[in-house]
Amino acid sequence: MSASDSTPRVGVWLIGARGSVATTVVAGCAAMTAGLHPPTGLLTETPPFTESGLPALSSLVFGGHDTLDCPLPKRAEALAAGGVLPHGLPTAVSAELAAAEREIRPGGPLPGDTRSDDDLIAAFAADIRSFVRRCRLSRAVVVNVASTEPAPTGDALPPSSLYAAAALRAGCAYVNFTPSTGLHHPLLRQQAESLGLPFAGRDGKTGQTLLRSVLGPMFTQRALTVRAWSGTNLLGGGDGASLADPSAAAAKNAGKERVLADTLGTTPEGEVHIDDVPALGDWKTAWDHIAFDGFLGTRMVLQTTWQGCDSSLAAPLVLDLARLAARAQERGLSGPLSELGFYFKDPVGQGPSALGEQYGRLVGFAERLREERSGGGQRGGGFADGPVAEGADGADVGSGGGSAGDSGGGGDGGVSSSVDSGGLAGEPADRSGEQW
């Protein structure tokens, strides 16, 4: 995206930058900025947010990590052929897609990669710092939109946690839109809070769980007893392939079940089955069968069917979250942004699970962001208020890390307690003795 020289530009660094969700984010932002399409699905473009000081869509600059090598323009053409993007949009926003493609760096770890966790984190963080300097950005937000990874075993950092650690080391706000571990790894969570950086997640709420967060409170408020709640998900694309792994599917389903337990006050019988149907591509169908008791024990059933395009459902949420996280860091907020629970199946921090209550907290957060920033600067990491000076030669300074899946690169990760708090205001400090 482009903005006038007087408008601070904000980076959105996407983990899984060549995936379907990331491609839809970049193309969609370009289309809205050019006035080609309205901002349907973007809460941050509705009245409660207009005075919150959010970065303009036209000020966003995209880059990221990925292990895939399909160029962004080519991926956009494939999405248009599948009906995910409007016909002709890839051509209309080809310049923006090409600009984002130039800012994508190799992800990892790839098979045969012998680098240590700290080496990978350092390389990924260097890519992000270089992106901010090269594009003269005021700050950047790292957003994980990778395909779901299996739950980690042992103490090793999974790819999602490596990327999250790199975000922290680079002084960036962080959003985990996936159910992957990210900052939930025990080695990282406390360090994330101590660095004074805002973070949000996890697992974007786009379809079946969105409905559950509405229907669950309805049954409770009407004093109807839910006996069983079963569901089936049919989906293709990268997510379908990754969720064919039982451990990855278990991580996904945990958030779905949490919503029911929180809103119903009990865990009903039944479970969710996820089936990979490659022929569906980027489209998914979610079916729920809810058995409940009415007055005098009369047994009844509610069935719902949700058919949607995963990337189109996710993209506006990713843009909302990037803008809100960037503004939160600018305002000096830090730690878990629990007010953003509206967007997630398994939100960080404490908060309600009912969608209506979550929306109320989100609107309250928008009002909080309107307040003038208090004196004394922001705590912990982050960037200077103005654009960061470019390095002497403007060269890239890292080899990059990246994605583990189709809809986005792969992860979040460890960070050293010796991370400098100045973010990118100057050259990075010597980190030769740093531990992740």
Side-chain angles (χ1 to χ4, degrees), residues 24-91:
T24 306
V25 166
V26 176
C29 189
M32 290 183 291
T33 298
L36 300 176
H37 289 272
T40 304
L42 265 76
L43 277 180
T44 50
E45 288 294 301
T46 61
F49 299 86
T50 53
E51 302 298 327
S52 296
L54 304 180
L57 291 171
S58 60
S59 74
L60 301 182
V61 181
F62 295 96
H65 284 123
D66 210 321
T67 57
L68 301 176
D69 57 8
C70 177
L72 216 55
K74 186 175 180 180
R75 172 54 67 92
E77 291 172 1
L79 292 176
V84 177
L85 296 179
H87 178 72
L89 183 61
T91 299

Side-chain angles (χ1 to χ4, degrees), residues 254-277:
K256 296 178 182 289
E257 301 305 327
R258 173 181 169 179
V259 170
L260 294 185
D262 289 349
T263 58
L264 297 175
T266 185
T267 303
E269 294 179 7
E271 57 187 23
V272 176
H273 297 275
I274 299 177
D275 294 331
D276 178 25
V277 185

Side-chain angles (χ1 to χ4, degrees), residues 8 50-51 56 61 97 112 133 156 160 177 183 200 209 230 240 307 309 318 323 332 367 384 390-391 425 431:
T50 53
E51 302 298 327
V61 181
L97 290 168
R133 281 193 291 270
S160 67
F177 200 73
L183 288 181
T209 310
S230 302
Q307 293 179 301
C309 176
V318 171
R323 300 172 79 189
E367 294 173 355
E390 191 174 3
R431 300 172 190 275

Side-chain angles (χ1 to χ4, degrees), residues 116-123 162 169 416 431 434-436:
S116 68
D117 284 352
D118 193 57
D119 288 341
L120 289 164
I121 294 166
L162 297 174
R169 188 173 292 189
S416 166
R431 300 172 190 275
E434 196 167 50
Q435 301 294 316
W436 47 260

